[in-house]
Amino acid sequence: MSATAEKPALPGSLNTNRSLDRWLRFEADATLGVRVGKVELGQGILTALAQIAADELDLRLDQVRIVTASTEASPNEGMTSGSRSVEESGEALRYACAEVRALALEAAAHRLGVSIEKLQLAEGVFHAGGKQASYWDLAAEIDLAREASGRVSPKQASDLALVGRSAARIDLPAKVFGEPSYVQDIDLPGMVHGRVVRPVNYAATLSSVDAEAVRALPGVIAVVRDGNFLGVVAEREEQAIRAQAALAKGCRWDAPRGLPGEAKIYDYLLGCPVETAVISDKRDADAKSRADVTLQATYRKPYIAHASIGPSCAVARYDGDRFEIWSHSQGIFPLRGDMVKCLRVPAERIVVHHTDGSGCYGHNGADDVALDAALLARAASPRPVKVQWMREEEFGWEPFGPAMVMKLSASLDRSGAVVDWNHDVWSNPHSNRSGRGAGSTLIAAPHLAAPVPVSPPVDMPLPAGASHRNAIPLYDFPSEHVARHLITDTPLRISALRALGGFANVFAIESMMDELAASCGADPVAFRLRHLKDPRACAVIERAAQMAGWKAGEKGDGTRGRGIGFCKYKNLGSYCAVIAEVVLEQGLRVVRAWAAVDVGRVVNPDGVVNQIEGGIVQATSWTLKEAVRFDTDFVTSRQWADYPILTFGEAPHVQVSLIDRPEEPSKGAGEGAQGPTGGAIANALFNAIGVRVRELPLTRERIATAIG
Amino acid sequence: MPENYSLNVNGKSCSVQAEGDTPLLYVLRNDLKLKGARYGCGVGQCGACTVIMDGKDIYSCDTPLWAAAGKSIVTIEGLGTREQPHALQQAFIDEQAVQCGYCITGIIMAAKTLLDRTVHPTDAEIDAALERHLCRCGTHNRIRRAIHRAAQALDASR
Ligand code: FES
Ligand code: FES
């Protein structure tokens, strides 16, 4: 057994980053410097973490400064994903700060010559009988270069002043005033601009290229060819773009057509070999024998794009020895791991700094473009290179949320109770992130002249799960069988997209629950409550129904209707119920949505509401409009015109209500609303016109076909 | 061939040397170091690059430099500052109408021209004015609220 293995487990990410000074430092400018490995993705996490730290140490929020994550100085917290940041980073900070506060109290008592009980602490200053000393006065006497004990308890919920109250986002003013905020905005002295010419499809190899003509173009500094990887560097951005186009024109690719094409995709996937795992198997022959009505249905979800508004971007500098990289990656340490393999330099010679990017909603092209930039920086050394993917590169090459098929069947007894439930889900794995396996997952890795093998994607295990996330219903059924059929053949590049398989599984479960309720004439809200034991689950459903003024058995009027969806995210995270109101016009429009949410202890209420509102609008977009288009050659949806998302005129008015549970652990809010939203919309459509559409997106054509 | 172009940006004249067909967006971002207009698609489909030219909101990604020469251009940096925020910027902060914020500067610029024409826009008028602005984070509800709030503040200060 290793030494670390014998140490006690510490809360959250403190367990793997055990020294207090890895997290906290009293800075010379009278602020508390907080280093976390989690990164801002537009979800407001840094504000929530600052609230936690300020509260434990009795500081004002503006006395806390969150230091941008970098592989040089930050704790390694792996990925910022899965809505786990408050649990992992937040817990670590609570305990680290509580311990530092206790150490400071001792030091202050000593310095001021009073007992600890006599000390008052406000805004970072200890007071006793007219004397005072601040954290910063005492900093030299507080030894932070020590391992956390995890034994000092954080404050009780009732003693918190900041946590639980809405705090304005600390990163927001810069963004509203147009100050440089994103990796796209980095402007280093001497910086030049890079662009990459990708192969024409996933399988293409370069047979010839005319680089000479491109080298002669104005401003061109370098044309890089490394196997099938091709790029240009130029003085000015528009020159790089022109050189990119010219280089692309001068290439000949050997490009076998290797995709099934969108029309055949579900048949193709269902025909692939699978690894099957039964993930729930509850048998009750007696209950099953009471089956009176059995329903069967197949639900489908296409590939969905992350579709960040700002295409992926990175800046890299190579000084002949060290690479320095600025990236909007969700995991700077795992990314560095892949860089080591692709650049063939040791980790000590690669620094990755996090810089905000456009919202990513999962694993987009952030990591891939970082390698592109590093490869081009080598050619422009020592000048820094910014690589900005063009819109069509982002849409063509980003890893998509996988297509999925869910086959469900369920039986009711004569009383309208579910007595048997079966759910089979077919899906690719949901994670192709960097930092795993012997190879790399970065786009350019296998294109290099000395190719780095591609690490196959993985599917995270239960209980959180990935393709099978939320496939096990939270409803209480006497007999159930749930199986996951994992397809490892990945025709399109795929990876983690917000909520992973949870979106499609909940869409299927909630649709089937509605179909069952309709078949026995039950009210969909009452039907769900009847099958739930968990009081927190019931509470969000009841609250949503109350907000919407839901009337038992309410029916749509032939164009307008309402429906409900629910889930407990990952079956371990937040609870969320959504009611959607739709109207069938030219196509389906979601007019309004009401959501009730329980994330346990709420750190920043307005931050949670913002996340839920956004989650509902984005999931409305997925449900009504989105599908990646592709033929047998490659992705064909390469601009917004080919991949439309929800517009202002189509965005529902959303109302959110939080159920605060100060004594329950905090859970992330970013991914809880998507599945319920998808289900609620499909159910509202049925409620409106009596027709069920089981394949996403719920387009006008699909609805027309279903109406017949 | 690169040529000299005179521009008026945020009330200041300046000159840049570039090819006439260079998108205004790159001139603003790279030559003038104004990063508030952002690249989203480069083909006029997302609105992230929106600035105001002679009082009209335009996409700077598909406006060539030659077409911007001699015109009066306002970018988000010219709208307000931290010390003296424009009513829209204050309202976006008050409503916390941002998630990642990448789309926000373009949206604020479009909202500015909307409020110039319409003192109290309805939701429908806001939606119409922002029809060609995409926000992937789903911040639409807050953006509408922020624009209403700014309209009220501007009206009150008149
Ligand atoms: S970047 Fe100009 S409209 Fe998208
Ligand atoms: S706030 Fe992220 S795209 Fe609008």
Side-chain angles (χ1 to χ4, degrees), chain A residues 579-601:
Chain A
I579 292 179
E581 177 178 336
V582 301
V583 56
L584 190 60
E585 297 166 333
Q586 299 295 339
L588 191 62
R589 187 159 70 87
V590 180
V591 186
R592 303 185 59 167
W594 298 263
V597 185
D598 169 356
V599 295
R601 181 178 62 248

Side-chain angles (χ1 to χ4, degrees), chain A residues 309 358-359 361, chain B residues 98-104 134-139:
Chain A
I309 296 294
S358 178
Y361 331 103
Chain B
V98 171
Q99 284 181 65
C100 77
Y102 200 90
C103 67
I104 291 296
L134 300 177
C135 173
R136 183 53 160 167
C137 293
T139 318

Side-chain angles (χ1 to χ4, degrees), chain A residues 309 640, chain B residues 25 38-50 59-62 132:
Chain A
I309 296 294
W640 290 111
Chain B
L25 176 65
R38 296 198 161 89
Y39 171 78
C41 67
V43 291
Q45 295 181 1
C46 76
C49 63
T50 301
Y59 297 143
S60 63
C61 72
D62 64 2
R132 279 150 59 79

Side-chain angles (χ1 to χ4, degrees), chain A residues 93-266:
Chain A
L93 273 183
R94 279 176 77 208
Y95 279 85
C97 291
E99 191 156 345
V100 169
R101 185 181 200 269
L103 293 171
L105 271 168
E106 266 172 48
H110 191 250
R111 168 84 73 96
L112 302 179
V114 297
S115 64
I116 287 181
E117 301 75 58
K118 293 253 156 59
L119 289 169
Q120 304 281 338
L121 171 58
E123 301 191 349
V125 183
F126 296 90
H127 301 265
K131 291 181 288 185
Q132 63 178 60
S134 72
Y135 283 122
W136 297 273
D137 300 329
L138 299 164
E141 288 137 58
I142 311 170
D143 176 20
L144 296 182
R146 67 163 78 192
E147 189 162 306
S149 71
R151 282 198 290 271
V152 181
S153 301
K155 290 183 177 177
Q156 297 289 312
S158 53
D159 295 332
L160 296 172
L162 296 169
V163 168
R165 300 215 160 78
S166 290
R169 285 254 306 272
I170 50 186
D171 59 320
L172 195 143
K175 291 171 181 170
V176 165
F177 291 105
E179 295 166 14
S181 302
Y182 307 100
V183 66
Q184 285 89 346
D185 302 339
I186 290 177
D187 211 331
L188 300 175
M191 191 179 79
V192 289
H193 297 269
R195 290 292 187 278
V196 171
V197 173
R198 295 272 172 229
V200 289
N201 68 25
Y202 292 126
T205 51
L206 190 59
S207 44
S208 72
V209 55
D210 179 8
E212 278 325 301
V214 178
R215 282 201 180 93
L217 290 176
V220 171
I221 296 169
V223 176
V224 176
R225 177 180 181 180
D226 186 346
N228 293 309
F229 176 83
L230 271 179
V232 293
V233 182
E235 290 287 343
R236 293 180 58 88
E237 188 158 17
E238 67 275 11
Q239 292 170 334
I241 295 170
R242 221 173 278 145
Q244 177 190 38
L247 190 60
K249 232 190 216 143
C251 287
R252 294 180 50 144
W253 298 93
D254 182 11
R257 299 172 84 89
L259 300 184
E262 61 191 34
K264 300 213 184 94
I265 186 61
Y266 295 112

